[in-house]
Amino acid sequence: MIKKIDHIGIAVKSLEQALPFYTDVLGLPLLGIEEVESEKLRVAFLKISESKIELLEPTSPESTVAKYIEKRGEGIHHVALGVDSIQDRINEMKEKGIQMIQDEPKTGAGNALVAFMHPKSAGGVLVELCEKKGLNQ
Ligand code: ZN
């Protein structure tokens, strides 16, 4: 049911400050930067073969990522697993006793459908289920 690691989400204070490490030092192609207003984030995607790194910059102190950085500093925020039929996967996880933060998928960055598992249910890791729609994903 899990197809691949779709991306690793990394919380950063500033995309401008964080990006040169990924683009210049590591030489990863920048796929694009977009604003996700619902999450109060600016997000940059960098490509690594079939997977991506997602840099998350809060645009408001109200953003959950801003609160995360305040508490734990910059660094790895979540792991996103690529799935098909995300609603079925959510239902399956709930049947297996996993506490989901979202019972229904919401639209996230890259126009993907996403839902998060509670870290309490996933060994302390914030795990995102992620289903890509359309082309160029
Ligand atoms: Zn993500």
Side-chain angles (χ1 to χ4, degrees), residues 74-126:
E74 294 177 294
I76 293 180
H77 179 262
H78 65 270
V79 176
L81 305 175
V83 300
D84 285 322
S85 312
I86 188 166
Q87 185 64 66
D88 292 345
R89 299 289 84 77
I90 292 170
N91 297 342
E92 197 180 316
M93 288 300 120
K94 287 170 70 182
E95 279 164 25
K96 289 180 177 175
I98 300 295
Q99 185 188 337
M100 298 296 299
I101 296 173
Q102 286 87 27
D103 289 333
E104 289 178 2
K106 58 178 185 169
T107 302
N111 205 30
L113 292 173
V114 304
F116 286 87
M117 292 182 203
H118 199 288
K120 275 185 207 158
S121 289
V125 179
L126 181 60

Side-chain angles (χ1 to χ4, degrees), residues 3 10 25-27 33 41 52 70 85 102 109 122 124 130-131 134:
K3 296 194 298 185
I10 298 176
V25 179
L26 299 181
I33 295 178
L41 289 175
K52 290 179 282 302
E70 207 175 281
S85 312
Q102 286 87 27
C130 169
E131 180 178 8

Side-chain angles (χ1 to χ4, degrees), residues 52-65:
K52 290 179 282 302
I53 284 177
E54 178 188 57
L55 300 179
L56 308 157
E57 176 200 77
T59 56
S60 153
E62 298 303 302
S63 163
T64 56
V65 173

